[in-house]
Amino acid sequence: MKELRSQRQPRDKDQCGEQQQAGSLRASLSHTHTHTALFSSAPETKGVLRNLQIMAVKTPAQGTGVLLTTANVGSLFEDPENLQKNWLREFYQTVHTHKPHFIALHCQEVGGKNYEASMSHVDKFVKELLSSDEMNEYNRARVYLDENYKSQEHFTALGNLYFLHESLKNTYQFDFKAKKFKKVTGKEIYSETLESTPMLEKEKFPQDYFPECKWSRKGFIRTRWSVTDCAFDLVNIHLFHDASNLIAWETSPSVYSGTRQKALTYILDRITDQRYEKVPHFLFGDFNFRLDSKGVIEALCASATMQTIRAADTNQINKLIFRESKNDRKVVLQLEKKLFDYFNQDVFRQNNGVELLEFDRELSVFKDKLSEQEISFPPSYPYSEDSNQGKQYMNTRCPSWCDRILLSHSARDLIHKAENDEKSVIYDNIGPNVCMGDHKPVFLFFRIAAGAAKRYQRTEKIFRETAL
């Protein structure tokens, strides 16, 4: 195991008081990693105002490569022996293929269903990412894990991991408390109570946003970065799922779609309010966006007749069976609360399922605020968790593009698009042919456009860390 150290510098008494505890990871990683608070490694000149202008970054001629990845990793901690090895191998391959300078990995459901029982697996997963030979050229890292599982009103099970290549110079992270950027050095891990960590904003949705006001692990974590003169926000998101297939198909759009719309609006309002200067933002996570259930079922079962089965005691519908009118009344689809059993899964895989994108409508409400690269990969959920099944969907939910990377319109201006080079921006999944758990990770690779910082004109001045 390679030794990992943070670059530790003297700090004043107030700064030491801000240091976060690293919880279970402290014990697990103490022999390989020194935990420090995220404060300046150099003296500051307080009260100095500067425009957002930093020293030129020496990067390859084609620009600074950025890899944004979202991954719901809950399954990895249910079967760590079989799934984590596959997952890490495929992630490393993606890094090797694109060779980014800056990597952002946003994870949801860290620790799986039982975080307390899975903490050792989480520690092993993070330690592997930080110490692997495949990542040895990334000499700086920031890891933020929400491990506060005992607090229902705060726990989100989100994990934000950031890796900086050794060739990337003068990269800064924003301190939301001090309202200034601070230079990133060393490798640092923070966990448990993240609410008091000044280098991020973490929120769980208000309780009345949750269906039936029952707490679940849904919320967001925001960090802000300055890379190659460009400031931007990276927001890890986990929105609400469809609790029942039967309820989802009753109306178009479904009641669950409305709940997700409300939650995403809440996040956009928070990250664009007046507390901080507005900057371009990338939102990536498990949005739980679903195909319009009523519309897709009507299309898939256009020539079928529906049989309704009700519970004997309550008379409530507990199953729908769609049969072909001819062909010996062949069953096309069986639908229950947690069953979506369609006879031909190939429709979701053929041509990457793009014919079904017409039913992917939840983002359209936000078209004036958010955009997305063209989708050219199959629905990212729900894949089989059988480690021998890489392409098979479970028959629990209608396959959908739950895992997404969305951009503010100003963020699109940061992306370099080479002429006659369709591969300059890549939006795809990871591990298409192997089991990665019930969600396939989704990534966006791009290079920061030359002059992007100048095109995005600042209207305010911000504090910046200044070395004496």
Side-chain angles (χ1 to χ4, degrees):
M1 182 72 72
K2 294 186 176 181
E3 186 176 6
L4 307 176
R5 290 191 179 94
S6 294
Q7 297 180 15
R8 194 181 188 106
Q9 300 291 339
R11 292 168 286 140
D12 62 32
K13 183 175 180 181
D14 290 339
Q15 289 176 334
C16 292
E18 295 277 352
Q19 183 168 358
Q20 293 293 302
Q21 298 299 314
S24 62
L25 280 167
R26 181 182 295 279
S28 174
L29 299 177
S30 59
H31 65 292
T32 63
H33 186 76
T34 302
H35 298 263
T36 66
L38 291 176
F39 284 89
S40 170
S41 60
E44 296 180 354
T45 300
K46 297 184 178 180
V48 175
L49 283 169
R50 278 191 177 184
N51 288 321
L52 187 59
Q53 296 175 344
I54 64 176
M55 294 176 61
V57 178
K58 293 183 179 180
T59 56
Q62 65 268 34
T64 301
V66 176
L67 179 69
L68 309 180
T69 303
T70 178
N72 186 314
V73 294
S75 298
L76 303 191
F77 306 103
E78 308 299 324
D79 185 11
E81 294 302 319
N82 291 313
L83 294 184
Q84 279 195 26
K85 185 181 296 184
N86 283 350
W87 195 100
L88 288 166
R89 183 185 67 247
E90 296 294 324
F91 177 73
Y92 294 149
Q93 182 58 50
T94 302
V95 172
H96 176 75
T97 298
H98 301 289
K99 297 178 174 56
H101 300 91
F102 181 90
I103 300 172
L105 172 60
H106 284 178
C107 297
Q108 306 83 42
E109 297 291 349
V110 176
K113 296 177 182 177
N114 189 338
Y115 197 103
E116 186 172 11
S118 300
M119 287 178 71
S120 63
H121 301 313
V122 175
D123 293 352
K124 182 179 179 181
F125 178 70
V126 173
K127 185 190 298 184
E128 165 64 26
L129 280 166
L130 288 173
S131 63
S132 67
D133 289 339
E134 291 85 350
M135 300 288 285
N136 63 6
E137 293 183 359
Y138 294 86
N139 63 348
R140 289 153 292 165
R142 294 292 181 269
V143 176
Y144 303 102
L145 300 173
D146 185 0
E147 289 188 333
N148 193 18
Y149 60 87
K150 294 182 179 179
S151 176
Q152 278 195 331
E153 64 271 26
H154 295 298
F155 185 48
T156 63
L158 295 174
N160 291 27
L161 297 86
Y162 305 98
F163 305 91
L164 284 65
H165 194 270
E166 59 192 11
S167 66
L168 185 61
K169 308 301 182 185
N170 298 318
T171 302
Y172 299 83
Q173 188 181 1
F174 192 68
D175 182 322
F176 287 93
K177 184 176 181 180
K179 295 188 177 182
K180 67 176 71 173
F181 280 91
K182 298 185 174 181
K183 192 170 185 177
V184 179
T185 61
K187 295 183 177 181
E188 301 172 355
I189 301 174
Y190 294 89
S191 58
E192 289 190 348
T193 306
L194 296 181
E195 283 75 17
S196 57
T197 303
M199 309 308 289
L200 59 81
E201 280 198 321
K202 173 198 154 192
E203 286 192 44
K204 194 165 184 173
F205 297 113
Q207 189 169 10
D208 61 352
Y209 278 53
F210 290 79
E212 300 177 356
C213 290
K214 292 182 179 179
W215 286 118
S216 63
R217 296 173 290 186
K218 303 295 189 292
F220 72 94
I221 293 178
R222 165 166 71 151
T223 58
R224 177 170 290 189
W225 299 83
S226 175
V227 179
T228 318
D229 293 355
C230 296
F232 50 81
D233 283 346
L234 302 178
V235 186
N236 188 359
I237 288 178
H238 197 184
L239 301 184
F240 304 98
H241 69 289
D242 284 11
S244 169
N245 293 325
L246 294 170
I247 293 176
W249 101 284
E250 289 178 349
T251 60
S252 175
S254 76
V255 61
Y256 303 118
S257 174
T259 302
R260 287 188 287 271
Q261 178 182 337
K262 180 181 178 182
L264 184 50
T265 299
Y266 177 87
I267 294 174
L268 291 173
D269 287 346
R270 290 292 289 163
I271 67 175
T272 59
D273 61 20
Q274 300 302 313
R275 293 172 300 144
Y276 306 102
E277 181 188 11
K278 294 179 183 180
V279 299
H281 45 267
F282 298 84
L283 287 68
F284 48 117
D286 181 0
F287 289 81
N288 262 314
F289 287 164
R290 307 299 171 97
L291 300 184
D292 182 78
S293 188
K294 190 173 184 62
V296 76
I297 289 175
E298 289 176 351
L300 294 175
C301 305
S303 60
T305 58
M306 185 180 73
Q307 176 186 356
T308 302
I309 299 177
R310 298 179 180 271
D313 52 346
T314 63
N315 201 39
Q316 289 185 336
I317 297 174
N318 61 10
K319 188 171 186 175
L320 299 175
I321 302 176
F322 296 83
R323 299 177 183 272
E324 291 187 2
S325 301
K326 301 178 181 179
N327 195 19
D328 296 328
R329 303 277 294 163
K330 176 183 176 181
V331 173
V332 177
L333 172 67
Q334 297 183 75
L335 194 71
E336 297 179 11
K337 180 179 180 179
K338 295 184 178 181
L339 176 71
F340 187 96
D341 189 2
Y342 187 64
F343 82 104
N344 180 20
Q345 283 197 2
D346 286 343
V347 70
F348 300 104
R349 292 187 289 260
Q350 290 175 349
N351 196 26
N352 293 320
V354 295
E355 292 184 1
L356 296 171
L357 279 171
E358 65 172 292
F359 303 106
D360 181 72
R361 301 166 178 166
E362 296 195 35
L363 184 56
S364 63
V365 179
F366 299 94
K367 62 183 179 182
D368 61 329
K369 297 179 179 179
L370 297 172
S371 62
E372 184 179 32
Q373 295 295 313
E374 182 178 352
I375 292 176
S376 59
F377 51 88
S380 62
Y381 170 87
Y383 281 91
S384 170
E385 295 172 300
D386 182 339
S387 58
N388 297 314
Q389 298 288 342
K391 293 185 175 182
Q392 185 75 16
Y393 288 106
M394 289 191 286
N395 61 359
T396 52
R397 309 288 184 185
C398 177
S400 300
W401 288 271
C402 294
D403 308 273
R404 314 284 277 264
I405 300 176
L406 308 181
L407 302 76
S408 66
H409 296 306
S410 56
R412 290 184 70 93
D413 295 335
L414 303 182
I415 296 177
H416 172 70
K417 295 181 180 179
E419 294 182 7
N420 303 320
D421 183 6
E422 61 183 16
K423 294 184 179 180
S424 62
V425 180
I426 302 174
Y427 188 35
D428 206 348
N429 64 12
I430 297 177
N433 300 315
V434 301
C435 181
M436 303 287 284
D438 57 348
H439 289 256
K440 294 284 189 192
V442 170
F443 76 91
L444 176 67
F445 174 77
F446 63 93
R447 296 189 183 279
I448 295 178
K454 293 180 180 179
R455 288 200 299 272
Y456 183 74
Q457 295 297 325
R458 295 315 221 220
T459 57
E460 301 176 29
K461 291 183 179 180
I462 60 175
F463 286 104
R464 173 168 295 284
E465 173 193 50
T466 305
L468 290 176

